[in-house]
């Protein structure tokens, strides 16, 4: 089960995967100190998430009733604050973690005041205040309050109540000890009975998720609109849940999970991400702290996978620019001739690459504009990658357009990557006396944008058809120039010239590696198929080769099948050396083939060295 709508399946699939994974976690055992709780089915297991927007996701035994037990404590404390006052309650119950088990007799030695309302002593003292406030209607008040929290009427499991009442000798001793210190100012028995009854309230995992979402929503039930708690009281409840909600496991819980939470010996766990969502799990087997084993595991996993820890939130004031670096620190996958590399070596730092992220509201764009102005002062070409921008409202979009128009008018070239959805390529309206600029170039990937910037730097060094500075291939064989003249002539004599149309496959993944290609003219790109984060398959560029460059040598040398596709970006042609011609040449002129193999392996080593260099640079960005 789960709510419909955009993105619903992502959360639903996640909790279904967690349910399937942790259902086989068989550690722990149901509570048995209350005989009725020992009857719980150890295999019961449910997970539910409720958001502050009123969406619900659930899997497993989320509609199976069980008793709320200690999860009632933070809510009843909130009710006491509402009926009485924080000033009254602070004299009856403290707010310090006890570091002890839930049923410890943890009282201040001077005042008899319980350490906090999450342990039994503090919860009994809290319930006693509600009982004393209106002895005749205390139970009705309590049930009405829980109905508002859960969004439906809840009832009391009488068999569990009787079992609690008949076996609760330690709790009775705590109640009478509280009476001795005047924390409970009248006969403690009615208050103890009300405490046993509140712990015996029947809930489902779904109910707990709604109650958790109500706490996440500052005391307003996002499903019904009811407001059973004020924001001020909700803050106090969440603070106590964070520090005391899992007893002597609270520190480890906060360290691992980082959410306010409350557990109960009935098998429930409730956790809250303020302002976002509530989480509930139900699974009776408990660890030695009294917390559900599967519940703790699920909350740990949700915190890690969804980044829900309150201590793992990114500061919005410094996260608009994800990364920023110079063109010398990241090259495109377009392989360059030696002459082009020499020219680019002096020019690359004229390129600045900036990764932008997040929701670009006014505050974020204001910060971005200020930072871009500093970066642009040292740049000739500015490449902006918007892949991780999730939203850009119209008003701040207009500010960016104004910035781009002013910077372009001053001579800065601007390129966008992954920017189609942001509509930034449209020029800003020209001010009086200012020419309207052409649309900003927008490339589909950052790699293509960097290549565009490199080509711009090399303008004037090659013609409009993107030919290399090297002479035509019929006058030189590019990397084969390294061969001795006689050997070069022998190799050239056995190569055939093969033309390709734009879009033609030169190599397909899985082909046998029985041909070696040397580009005469045109442009050829190697791609592999990858699965993106969205589950869609797409082609990713590995390298692009121009005139005088060789490709296909790895499979040719190893004899293994091709691992990538190569296609023609432009009409062009390649000199091709087939395996059969290579074998004949090797038989007739072994010296020529030995020198050819040496040149091929040297070129391949240079490519690998360049690739490793770029990877090393990127690791430090």
């Amino acid at each position: 089960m789960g709510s419909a709508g955009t993105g619903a399946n992502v959360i639903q699939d996640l909790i279904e995967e967690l349910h399937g994974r942790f259902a086989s976690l068989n550690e722990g055992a149901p509570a048995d100190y209350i005989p009725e709780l020992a009857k719980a089915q150890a295999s019961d297991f449910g997970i539910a998430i409720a958001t502050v927007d009123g969406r619900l996701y659930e899997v497993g035994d989320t509609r199976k009733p069980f008793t709320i037990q200690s999860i009632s404590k933070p809510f009843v404390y909130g009710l006491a604050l509402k009926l009485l006052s924080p000033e009254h309650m602070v004299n009856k119950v403290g707010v310090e973690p006890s570091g002890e088990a839930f049923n410890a007799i943890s009282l201040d030695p001077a005042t008899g005041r319980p350490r906090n309302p999450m342990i039994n002593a503090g919860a009994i003292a809290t319930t006693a205040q509600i009982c004393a406030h209106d002895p005749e209607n205390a139970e009705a008040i309590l049930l009405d309050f829980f109905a508002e929290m859960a969004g439906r009427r809840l009832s009391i499991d009488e068999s569990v109540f009787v079992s609690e009442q008949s076996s609760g000798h330690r709790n009775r001793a705590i109640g009478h000890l509280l009476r001795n210190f005047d924390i409970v100012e009248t006969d403690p028995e009615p208050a103890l009975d009300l405490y046993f009854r509140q712990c015996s309230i029947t809930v489902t995992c779904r109910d707990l998720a709604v109650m958790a979402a109500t706490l996440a929503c500052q005391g307003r039930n996002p499903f019904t609109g009811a407001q059973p708690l004020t924001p001020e009281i909700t803050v106090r409840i969440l603070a106590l849940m964070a520090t005391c909600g899992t007893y002597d496991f609270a520190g480890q819980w906060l360290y691992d999970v980082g959410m306010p939470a409350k557990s109960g010996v009935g098998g429930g766990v409730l956790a809250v991400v303020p302002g976002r969502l509530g989480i509930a799990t139900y699974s009776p087997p408990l660890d030695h702290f009294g917390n559900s084993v599967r519940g703790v595991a699920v909350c740990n996993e949700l915190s890690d996978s969804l980044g829900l820890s309150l201590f793992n939130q990114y500061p919005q004031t410094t996260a608009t620019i994800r990364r920023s670096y110079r063109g010398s620190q990241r090259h495109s996958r377009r392989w360059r001739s030696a002459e082009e590399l020499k020219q680019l070596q002096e020019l690359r730092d004229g390129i600045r690459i900036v990764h932008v992220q997040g929701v670009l509201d006014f505050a974020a764009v204001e910060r971005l504009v200020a930072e871009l102005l500093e970066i642009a002062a040292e740049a000739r070409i500015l490449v902006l990658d918007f892949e991780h921008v999730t939203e850009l409202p119209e008003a701040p979009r207009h500010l960016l357009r104004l910035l781009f128009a002013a910077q372009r008018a001053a001579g800065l070239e601007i390129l966008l990557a992954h920017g189609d959805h942001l509509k930034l390529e449209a020029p800003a309206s020209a001010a009086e006396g200012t020419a309207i600029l052409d649309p900003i170039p927008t490339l589909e990937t950052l790699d293509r944008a960097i290549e565009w910037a490199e080509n711009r730097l090399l303008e004037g060094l090659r013609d409009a058809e993107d030919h290399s500075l090297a002479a035509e291939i019929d006058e030189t064989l590019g990397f084969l120039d390294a061969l001795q003249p006689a050997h070069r002539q022998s190799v050239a004599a056995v190569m055939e010239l093969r033309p390709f149309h734009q879009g033609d496959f030169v190599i397909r993944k899985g082909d046998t590696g029985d041909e070696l290609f040397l580009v005469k003219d045109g442009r050829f790109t190697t791609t592999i198929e990858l699965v993106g984060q969205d589950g869609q398959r797409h082609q990713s560029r590995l390298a692009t080769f121009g005139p005088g460059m060789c490709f296909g040598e790895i499979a040719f040398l190893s004899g293994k099948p091709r691992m990538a596709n190569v296609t023609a970006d432009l009409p062009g042609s390649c000199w091709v050396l087939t395996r059969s011609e290579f074998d004949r040449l090797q038989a007739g002129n072994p010296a020529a083939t030995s020198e050819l193999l040496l040149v091929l392996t040297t070129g391949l080593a240079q490519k690998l060295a360049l690739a490793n260099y770029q990877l090393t640079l990127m690791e430090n960005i």
Side-chain angles (χ1 to χ4, degrees), residues 549-560:
M549 298 179 184
C550 177
F551 62 85
E553 65 267 48
I554 295 178
F556 188 80
L557 293 173
S558 68
K560 296 183 181 297

Side-chain angles (χ1 to χ4, degrees), residues 194 246 269 517:
L194 183 61
T246 48
V269 173
F517 296 84

Side-chain angles (χ1 to χ4, degrees), residues 111-124:
T111 65
R113 189 179 67 161
R115 296 292 185 190
N116 64 72
M118 301 297 114
I119 57 175
N120 287 7
I124 292 169

Side-chain angles (χ1 to χ4, degrees), residues 75-230:
F75 298 102
V76 174
Y77 182 72
L79 177 60
L81 292 176
K82 179 180 179 180
L83 294 176
L84 302 162
S85 70
E87 294 74 23
H88 175 86
M89 290 303 300
V90 77
N91 292 319
K92 298 297 183 179
V93 185
V95 292
E96 293 293 333
S98 67
E100 297 176 326
F102 67 93
N103 60 354
I105 303 176
S106 183
L107 306 178
D108 185 279
T111 65
R113 189 179 67 161
R115 296 292 185 190
N116 64 72
M118 301 297 114
I119 57 175
N120 287 7
I124 292 169
T126 299
T127 303
Q129 307 312 306
I130 295 174
C131 189
H133 173 73
D134 191 343
E136 298 298 323
N137 299 301
E139 182 177 318
I141 291 172
L142 191 145
L143 288 175
D144 287 345
F145 171 73
F146 273 91
E148 284 193 289
M149 293 296 305
R152 73 179 186 96
R153 298 299 303 181
L154 303 178
S155 59
I156 293 172
D157 187 321
E158 295 295 338
S159 60
V160 173
F161 164 66
V162 171
S163 186
E164 294 239 19
Q165 189 183 47
S166 61
S167 62
H169 307 300
R170 186 180 184 87
N171 285 331
R172 290 190 183 281
I174 291 173
H176 284 274
L177 190 58
L178 293 170
R179 176 68 186 91
N180 178 68
F181 283 101
D182 280 333
I183 299 297
V184 175
E185 297 175 344
T186 60
D187 180 7
E189 289 300 324
L192 284 163
D193 280 351
L194 183 61
Y195 173 73
F196 294 140
R197 293 187 73 76
Q198 87 179 40
C199 292
S200 303
I201 291 175
T202 299
V203 293
T204 66
C205 188
R206 181 189 185 281
D207 294 330
L208 290 184
V210 173
M211 295 166 72
T214 301
L215 293 178
C217 206
Q218 294 187 305
R220 181 183 64 84
N221 188 316
F223 294 87
T224 67
Q227 184 87 41
L229 292 170
T230 66

Side-chain angles (χ1 to χ4, degrees), residues 253-443:
W253 172 277
L254 212 55
Y255 183 85
D256 293 337
V257 182
M259 299 180 231
K262 190 70 194 77
S263 60
V265 294
V269 173
L270 174 150
V272 179
V273 183
R276 296 171 67 183
L277 53 84
I279 300 169
T281 64
Y282 165 57
S283 176
L286 311 178
D287 58 24
H288 66 281
F289 293 107
N291 302 315
S292 168
V293 174
R294 294 188 188 115
V296 171
V298 167
C299 290
N300 261 298
E301 192 68 23
L302 285 173
S303 178
D304 287 343
S305 60
L306 298 180
L308 299 180
S309 172
L310 298 182
F311 311 109
N312 188 32
Q313 302 304 309
Y314 291 97
Q316 295 300 311
T317 57
T318 59
T320 306
I321 290 183
R322 188 181 189 191
R323 288 182 295 173
S324 173
Y325 46 88
R326 301 177 185 277
S328 58
Q329 293 175 281
R330 180 164 180 172
H331 305 171
S332 75
R333 297 190 180 104
R334 172 74 179 272
W335 291 97
R336 304 289 182 177
S337 68
E339 182 63 26
E340 287 176 323
L341 289 174
K342 180 181 177 181
Q343 296 288 337
L344 283 173
Q345 186 68 26
E346 305 296 326
L347 302 173
R348 285 192 193 275
D349 280 347
I351 302 172
R352 290 298 298 268
I353 302 160
V354 177
H355 297 256
V356 186
Q357 68 177 2
V359 176
L360 298 186
D361 57 12
F362 173 80
V365 167
E366 186 276 329
R367 292 191 301 273
L368 177 62
V369 167
E371 295 179 42
L372 288 182
L373 285 173
E374 293 185 12
I375 293 171
E378 301 178 354
R380 175 180 167 185
I381 302 174
L382 179 62
V383 179
L384 295 170
D385 182 9
F386 287 99
E387 182 177 10
H388 296 282
V389 171
T390 56
E391 187 176 348
L392 176 59
E394 180 56 38
R397 180 186 291 120
H398 182 63
L399 292 179
L400 280 182
R401 286 174 176 165
L402 290 175
L403 170 70
F404 294 163
Q407 290 297 308
R408 295 175 74 201
L412 179 69
E413 296 198 61
I414 297 176
L415 304 178
L416 307 180
H418 301 104
D420 286 337
H421 65 297
L422 301 177
K423 298 182 174 59
L424 278 167
E425 72 282 359
S429 299
E432 185 176 352
T434 302
I436 296 178
L437 301 173
D438 293 333
I440 298 174
T442 302
L443 288 302

Side-chain angles (χ1 to χ4, degrees), residues 330-581:
R330 180 164 180 172
H331 305 171
S332 75
R333 297 190 180 104
R334 172 74 179 272
W335 291 97
R336 304 289 182 177
S337 68
E339 182 63 26
E340 287 176 323
L341 289 174
K342 180 181 177 181
Q343 296 288 337
L344 283 173
Q345 186 68 26
E346 305 296 326
L347 302 173
R348 285 192 193 275
D349 280 347
I351 302 172
R352 290 298 298 268
I353 302 160
V354 177
H355 297 256
V356 186
Q357 68 177 2
V359 176
L360 298 186
D361 57 12
F362 173 80
V365 167
E366 186 276 329
R367 292 191 301 273
L368 177 62
V369 167
E371 295 179 42
L372 288 182
L373 285 173
E374 293 185 12
I375 293 171
E378 301 178 354
R380 175 180 167 185
I381 302 174
L382 179 62
V383 179
L384 295 170
D385 182 9
F386 287 99
E387 182 177 10
H388 296 282
V389 171
T390 56
E391 187 176 348
L392 176 59
E394 180 56 38
R397 180 186 291 120
H398 182 63
L399 292 179
L400 280 182
R401 286 174 176 165
L402 290 175
L403 170 70
F404 294 163
Q407 290 297 308
R408 295 175 74 201
L412 179 69
E413 296 198 61
I414 297 176
L415 304 178
L416 307 180
H418 301 104
D420 286 337
H421 65 297
L422 301 177
K423 298 182 174 59
L424 278 167
E425 72 282 359
S429 299
E432 185 176 352
T434 302
I436 296 178
L437 301 173
D438 293 333
I440 298 174
T442 302
L443 288 302
E444 61 182 5
T445 66
L446 178 61
D447 180 53
R448 291 293 188 184
I450 295 173
E451 180 187 4
W452 193 101
E454 292 171 348
N455 290 342
R456 193 69 165 171
L457 294 177
L458 289 169
E459 251 182 21
L461 302 177
R462 57 190 176 189
D463 63 27
E465 293 183 358
D466 198 32
H467 285 199
S468 162
L469 290 176
E472 289 296 327
I473 197 69
D474 53 0
E475 297 178 6
T476 176
L477 291 178
F479 82 99
L480 295 184
D481 283 344
L483 298 177
Q484 297 179 35
H487 293 161
R488 182 168 63 247
Q489 185 176 1
S490 297
V491 174
V494 297
M495 299 179 80
E496 63 173 275
L497 184 63
R498 189 177 301 171
F500 296 97
H501 298 292
Q502 183 174 351
D504 282 354
F505 275 92
V506 182
I507 291 174
R508 291 182 183 271
K509 180 181 177 181
D511 288 350
T512 56
D514 53 6
E515 293 181 330
L516 179 69
F517 296 84
L518 177 61
V519 181
K520 176 182 184 296
D521 50 37
R523 193 173 68 220
F524 299 85
T525 292
T526 304
T527 59
I528 58 172
E529 187 177 74
L530 297 176
V531 179
Q533 294 181 349
D534 56 1
Q536 300 296 315
R537 297 181 179 274
H538 61 94
Q539 297 295 320
S540 179
R541 177 167 77 156
L542 290 179
T544 296
F545 303 100
M549 298 179 184
C550 177
F551 62 85
E553 65 267 48
I554 295 178
F556 188 80
L557 293 173
S558 68
K560 296 183 181 297
R562 306 287 188 184
M563 300 183 65
N565 298 321
V566 179
T567 55
D569 294 343
L570 301 170
S573 59
C574 295
W575 293 101
V576 182
L577 177 62
T578 64
R579 175 72 62 188
S580 59
E581 290 296 334

